[in-house]
Short mmCIF file of all heavy atoms in Angstrom, two decimals:
data_model
loop_
_atom_site.label_atom_id
_atom_site.label_comp_id
_atom_site.label_asym_id
_atom_site.label_seq_id
_atom_site.Cartn_x
_atom_site.Cartn_y
_atom_site.Cartn_z
N LEU A 148 -21.70 -1.98 -46.98
CA LEU A 148 -22.86 -1.09 -46.84
C LEU A 148 -23.79 -1.12 -48.05
O LEU A 148 -24.86 -0.56 -48.01
CB LEU A 148 -22.40 0.35 -46.62
CG LEU A 148 -21.65 0.68 -45.34
CD1 LEU A 148 -21.46 2.19 -45.25
CD2 LEU A 148 -22.38 0.19 -44.11
N HIS A 149 -23.37 -1.74 -49.12
CA HIS A 149 -24.16 -1.77 -50.36
C HIS A 149 -24.52 -0.36 -50.81
O HIS A 149 -25.69 -0.06 -51.05
CB HIS A 149 -25.41 -2.62 -50.19
CG HIS A 149 -25.11 -4.04 -49.79
ND1 HIS A 149 -24.59 -4.96 -50.66
CD2 HIS A 149 -25.22 -4.67 -48.60
CE1 HIS A 149 -24.39 -6.11 -50.03
NE2 HIS A 149 -24.76 -5.96 -48.78
N LEU A 150 -23.53 0.50 -50.90
CA LEU A 150 -23.79 1.89 -51.32
C LEU A 150 -24.20 1.98 -52.78
O LEU A 150 -24.77 2.98 -53.20
CB LEU A 150 -22.55 2.76 -51.09
CG LEU A 150 -22.18 3.07 -49.65
CD1 LEU A 150 -21.02 4.07 -49.60
CD2 LEU A 150 -23.37 3.60 -48.85
N GLY A 151 -23.93 0.93 -53.54
CA GLY A 151 -24.33 0.93 -54.95
C GLY A 151 -23.71 2.10 -55.71
O GLY A 151 -22.54 2.41 -55.51
N ASP A 152 -24.53 2.76 -56.53
CA ASP A 152 -23.97 3.84 -57.35
C ASP A 152 -24.17 5.21 -56.71
O ASP A 152 -24.00 6.24 -57.37
CB ASP A 152 -24.57 3.81 -58.76
CG ASP A 152 -26.05 4.17 -58.75
OD1 ASP A 152 -26.66 4.16 -57.64
OD2 ASP A 152 -26.60 4.45 -59.82
N ARG A 153 -24.50 5.24 -55.42
CA ARG A 153 -24.74 6.55 -54.77
C ARG A 153 -23.53 7.47 -54.88
O ARG A 153 -23.69 8.64 -55.26
CB ARG A 153 -25.12 6.35 -53.30
CG ARG A 153 -26.48 5.69 -53.14
CD ARG A 153 -26.81 5.54 -51.66
NE ARG A 153 -28.06 4.84 -51.50
CZ ARG A 153 -28.16 3.55 -51.20
NH1 ARG A 153 -27.09 2.82 -51.03
NH2 ARG A 153 -29.34 2.99 -51.07
N PRO A 154 -22.32 6.98 -54.58
CA PRO A 154 -21.17 7.89 -54.71
C PRO A 154 -20.99 8.41 -56.13
O PRO A 154 -20.73 9.59 -56.34
CB PRO A 154 -19.98 7.01 -54.29
CG PRO A 154 -20.58 5.93 -53.44
CD PRO A 154 -21.93 5.67 -54.03
N GLU A 155 -21.19 7.53 -57.11
CA GLU A 155 -21.02 7.97 -58.50
C GLU A 155 -22.09 9.00 -58.88
O GLU A 155 -21.81 9.95 -59.61
CB GLU A 155 -21.10 6.78 -59.47
CG GLU A 155 -19.81 5.98 -59.56
CD GLU A 155 -19.94 4.63 -58.90
OE1 GLU A 155 -20.58 4.56 -57.82
OE2 GLU A 155 -19.41 3.65 -59.45
N ARG A 156 -23.30 8.79 -58.38
CA ARG A 156 -24.37 9.75 -58.67
C ARG A 156 -24.00 11.13 -58.15
O ARG A 156 -24.19 12.14 -58.82
CB ARG A 156 -25.69 9.28 -58.05
CG ARG A 156 -26.50 8.49 -59.04
CD ARG A 156 -27.65 7.67 -58.47
NE ARG A 156 -28.30 8.17 -57.29
CZ ARG A 156 -28.82 7.36 -56.34
NH1 ARG A 156 -28.74 6.06 -56.47
NH2 ARG A 156 -29.42 7.88 -55.31
N LEU A 157 -23.46 11.17 -56.94
CA LEU A 157 -23.04 12.45 -56.36
C LEU A 157 -21.92 13.08 -57.18
O LEU A 157 -21.92 14.29 -57.45
CB LEU A 157 -22.57 12.24 -54.92
CG LEU A 157 -23.68 11.94 -53.91
CD1 LEU A 157 -23.08 11.29 -52.65
CD2 LEU A 157 -24.42 13.21 -53.54
N LEU A 158 -20.97 12.24 -57.61
CA LEU A 158 -19.84 12.77 -58.36
C LEU A 158 -20.27 13.30 -59.72
O LEU A 158 -19.80 14.34 -60.18
CB LEU A 158 -18.78 11.68 -58.54
CG LEU A 158 -17.96 11.32 -57.29
CD1 LEU A 158 -17.13 10.07 -57.52
CD2 LEU A 158 -17.07 12.48 -56.87
N ARG A 159 -21.18 12.58 -60.36
CA ARG A 159 -21.62 13.01 -61.70
C ARG A 159 -22.33 14.36 -61.65
O ARG A 159 -22.36 15.08 -62.64
CB ARG A 159 -22.56 11.96 -62.30
CG ARG A 159 -21.82 10.76 -62.81
CD ARG A 159 -22.53 10.05 -63.97
NE ARG A 159 -21.70 8.93 -64.38
CZ ARG A 159 -21.77 7.72 -63.84
NH1 ARG A 159 -22.66 7.47 -62.89
NH2 ARG A 159 -20.96 6.76 -64.23
N ALA A 160 -22.91 14.69 -60.48
CA ALA A 160 -23.63 15.96 -60.36
C ALA A 160 -22.71 17.14 -60.06
O ALA A 160 -23.16 18.27 -59.90
CB ALA A 160 -24.71 15.84 -59.28
N VAL A 161 -21.41 16.87 -59.95
CA VAL A 161 -20.45 17.95 -59.66
C VAL A 161 -20.10 18.67 -60.97
O VAL A 161 -19.73 18.02 -61.95
CB VAL A 161 -19.17 17.38 -59.00
CG1 VAL A 161 -18.09 18.46 -58.89
CG2 VAL A 161 -19.50 16.80 -57.63
N ALA A 162 -20.21 19.99 -60.94
CA ALA A 162 -19.95 20.78 -62.15
C ALA A 162 -18.51 20.60 -62.62
O ALA A 162 -17.59 20.68 -61.81
CB ALA A 162 -20.25 22.25 -61.88
N GLY A 163 -18.33 20.32 -63.90
CA GLY A 163 -17.00 20.24 -64.49
C GLY A 163 -16.29 18.92 -64.29
O GLY A 163 -15.27 18.67 -64.92
N LEU A 164 -16.81 18.06 -63.44
CA LEU A 164 -16.10 16.82 -63.14
C LEU A 164 -16.33 15.77 -64.22
O LEU A 164 -17.46 15.57 -64.67
CB LEU A 164 -16.56 16.28 -61.78
CG LEU A 164 -15.86 15.05 -61.21
CD1 LEU A 164 -15.83 15.14 -59.68
CD2 LEU A 164 -16.50 13.75 -61.63
N GLU A 165 -15.25 15.12 -64.62
CA GLU A 165 -15.40 14.02 -65.57
C GLU A 165 -15.04 12.71 -64.87
O GLU A 165 -13.90 12.51 -64.44
CB GLU A 165 -14.49 14.23 -66.79
CG GLU A 165 -14.77 13.23 -67.89
CD GLU A 165 -13.62 13.13 -68.91
OE1 GLU A 165 -12.83 14.09 -69.03
OE2 GLU A 165 -13.53 12.08 -69.57
N LEU A 166 -16.03 11.85 -64.73
CA LEU A 166 -15.80 10.57 -64.05
C LEU A 166 -15.28 9.55 -65.07
O LEU A 166 -15.94 9.30 -66.08
CB LEU A 166 -17.12 10.09 -63.44
CG LEU A 166 -17.05 8.96 -62.43
CD1 LEU A 166 -16.22 9.35 -61.22
CD2 LEU A 166 -18.46 8.58 -61.97
N VAL A 167 -14.11 8.99 -64.83
CA VAL A 167 -13.55 8.03 -65.79
C VAL A 167 -13.57 6.62 -65.21
O VAL A 167 -13.58 6.43 -63.99
CB VAL A 167 -12.09 8.40 -66.19
CG1 VAL A 167 -12.04 9.75 -66.87
CG2 VAL A 167 -11.18 8.37 -64.98
N ASP A 168 -13.60 5.63 -66.10
CA ASP A 168 -13.64 4.23 -65.67
C ASP A 168 -12.26 3.76 -65.25
O ASP A 168 -11.26 4.20 -65.78
CB ASP A 168 -14.12 3.34 -66.82
CG ASP A 168 -15.62 3.45 -67.01
OD1 ASP A 168 -16.31 3.81 -66.01
OD2 ASP A 168 -16.10 3.20 -68.13
N MET A 169 -12.28 2.81 -64.32
CA MET A 169 -11.03 2.21 -63.88
C MET A 169 -11.16 0.69 -64.00
O MET A 169 -12.17 0.14 -63.58
CB MET A 169 -10.79 2.61 -62.42
CG MET A 169 -9.47 2.13 -61.87
SD MET A 169 -9.07 2.96 -60.32
CE MET A 169 -10.35 2.34 -59.24
N PRO A 170 -10.16 0.01 -64.57
CA PRO A 170 -10.26 -1.45 -64.69
C PRO A 170 -10.37 -2.12 -63.32
O PRO A 170 -9.77 -1.65 -62.36
CB PRO A 170 -8.93 -1.86 -65.36
CG PRO A 170 -8.28 -0.60 -65.83
CD PRO A 170 -8.88 0.55 -65.09
N ALA A 171 -11.14 -3.21 -63.27
CA ALA A 171 -11.29 -4.00 -62.04
C ALA A 171 -11.51 -3.12 -60.81
O ALA A 171 -10.93 -3.33 -59.76
CB ALA A 171 -10.09 -4.93 -61.82
N ALA A 172 -12.38 -2.12 -61.00
CA ALA A 172 -12.58 -1.14 -59.93
C ALA A 172 -12.99 -1.81 -58.62
O ALA A 172 -12.59 -1.38 -57.54
CB ALA A 172 -13.63 -0.12 -60.35
N ASP A 173 -13.78 -2.88 -58.71
CA ASP A 173 -14.32 -3.44 -57.48
C ASP A 173 -13.39 -4.43 -56.77
O ASP A 173 -13.77 -5.06 -55.80
CB ASP A 173 -15.69 -4.09 -57.73
CG ASP A 173 -15.61 -5.22 -58.75
OD1 ASP A 173 -14.51 -5.44 -59.32
OD2 ASP A 173 -16.65 -5.87 -58.99
N SER A 174 -12.15 -4.58 -57.25
CA SER A 174 -11.29 -5.51 -56.52
C SER A 174 -10.56 -4.77 -55.40
O SER A 174 -10.25 -3.59 -55.50
CB SER A 174 -10.33 -6.24 -57.45
OG SER A 174 -9.55 -5.32 -58.14
N CYS A 175 -10.34 -5.50 -54.34
CA CYS A 175 -9.80 -4.96 -53.10
C CYS A 175 -8.41 -4.37 -53.33
O CYS A 175 -7.59 -4.92 -54.06
CB CYS A 175 -9.73 -6.08 -52.08
SG CYS A 175 -9.04 -5.62 -50.49
N CYS A 176 -8.12 -3.25 -52.66
CA CYS A 176 -6.82 -2.59 -52.83
C CYS A 176 -5.73 -3.24 -51.98
O CYS A 176 -4.55 -2.94 -52.12
CB CYS A 176 -6.91 -1.11 -52.50
SG CYS A 176 -7.15 -0.77 -50.74
N GLY A 177 -6.15 -4.12 -51.06
CA GLY A 177 -5.16 -4.83 -50.25
C GLY A 177 -4.86 -4.18 -48.91
O GLY A 177 -3.94 -4.58 -48.22
N PHE A 178 -5.67 -3.19 -48.54
CA PHE A 178 -5.38 -2.53 -47.26
C PHE A 178 -5.80 -3.43 -46.08
O PHE A 178 -4.96 -4.05 -45.45
CB PHE A 178 -6.06 -1.15 -47.20
CG PHE A 178 -5.86 -0.48 -45.88
CD1 PHE A 178 -4.58 -0.20 -45.41
CD2 PHE A 178 -6.93 -0.16 -45.06
CE1 PHE A 178 -4.39 0.40 -44.17
CE2 PHE A 178 -6.74 0.44 -43.81
CZ PHE A 178 -5.47 0.71 -43.37
N GLY A 179 -7.11 -3.50 -45.83
CA GLY A 179 -7.60 -4.42 -44.80
C GLY A 179 -7.07 -4.15 -43.41
O GLY A 179 -6.84 -5.08 -42.64
N GLY A 180 -6.86 -2.89 -43.05
CA GLY A 180 -6.42 -2.57 -41.68
C GLY A 180 -5.08 -3.21 -41.38
O GLY A 180 -4.11 -3.00 -42.10
N THR A 181 -5.03 -4.03 -40.33
CA THR A 181 -3.76 -4.63 -39.95
C THR A 181 -3.26 -5.64 -40.99
O THR A 181 -2.12 -6.07 -40.92
CB THR A 181 -3.85 -5.33 -38.58
OG1 THR A 181 -5.04 -6.09 -38.54
CG2 THR A 181 -3.84 -4.32 -37.45
N PHE A 182 -4.13 -6.02 -41.93
CA PHE A 182 -3.68 -6.94 -42.99
C PHE A 182 -2.44 -6.39 -43.70
O PHE A 182 -1.49 -7.11 -44.00
CB PHE A 182 -4.80 -7.19 -44.00
CG PHE A 182 -4.41 -8.07 -45.15
CD1 PHE A 182 -4.43 -9.45 -45.02
CD2 PHE A 182 -4.00 -7.52 -46.36
CE1 PHE A 182 -4.06 -10.27 -46.09
CE2 PHE A 182 -3.62 -8.34 -47.43
CZ PHE A 182 -3.65 -9.72 -47.28
N ALA A 183 -2.48 -5.07 -43.97
CA ALA A 183 -1.39 -4.44 -44.73
C ALA A 183 -0.06 -4.51 -43.97
O ALA A 183 1.00 -4.39 -44.56
CB ALA A 183 -1.74 -2.99 -45.06
N VAL A 184 -0.14 -4.70 -42.66
CA VAL A 184 1.08 -4.82 -41.86
C VAL A 184 1.44 -6.29 -41.64
O VAL A 184 2.57 -6.71 -41.83
CB VAL A 184 0.91 -4.08 -40.51
CG1 VAL A 184 2.11 -4.32 -39.62
CG2 VAL A 184 0.70 -2.60 -40.75
N LYS A 185 0.42 -7.08 -41.27
CA LYS A 185 0.66 -8.50 -40.98
C LYS A 185 1.00 -9.29 -42.25
O LYS A 185 1.73 -10.27 -42.20
CB LYS A 185 -0.59 -9.14 -40.36
CG LYS A 185 -0.81 -8.83 -38.90
CD LYS A 185 -2.10 -9.53 -38.45
CE LYS A 185 -2.55 -9.12 -37.08
NZ LYS A 185 -1.88 -9.83 -36.00
N ASN A 186 0.40 -8.92 -43.35
CA ASN A 186 0.64 -9.60 -44.62
C ASN A 186 1.11 -8.57 -45.65
O ASN A 186 0.52 -8.42 -46.72
CB ASN A 186 -0.64 -10.30 -45.09
CG ASN A 186 -0.98 -11.52 -44.26
OD1 ASN A 186 -0.40 -12.58 -44.41
ND2 ASN A 186 -1.91 -11.35 -43.33
N ALA A 187 2.18 -7.88 -45.29
CA ALA A 187 2.62 -6.73 -46.09
C ALA A 187 2.92 -7.11 -47.54
O ALA A 187 2.62 -6.34 -48.45
CB ALA A 187 3.85 -6.10 -45.44
N ASP A 188 3.48 -8.30 -47.77
CA ASP A 188 3.86 -8.67 -49.14
C ASP A 188 2.64 -8.93 -50.02
O ASP A 188 2.57 -8.49 -51.17
CB ASP A 188 4.76 -9.92 -49.13
CG ASP A 188 6.02 -9.68 -48.32
OD1 ASP A 188 6.77 -8.77 -48.68
OD2 ASP A 188 6.23 -10.39 -47.30
#
Side-chain angles (χ1 to χ4, degrees):
Chain A
L148 294 188
H149 301 287
L150 290 186
D152 68 345
R153 291 181 184 100
E155 280 109 320
R156 266 165 30 213
L157 288 161
L158 287 170
R159 284 209 178 87
V161 172
L164 185 148
E165 189 198 337
L166 194 61
V167 298
D168 284 335
M169 184 166 67
D173 60 356
S174 59
C175 178
C176 70
F178 177 60
T181 45
F182 177 83
V184 174
K185 282 180 189 277
N186 288 282
D188 301 300

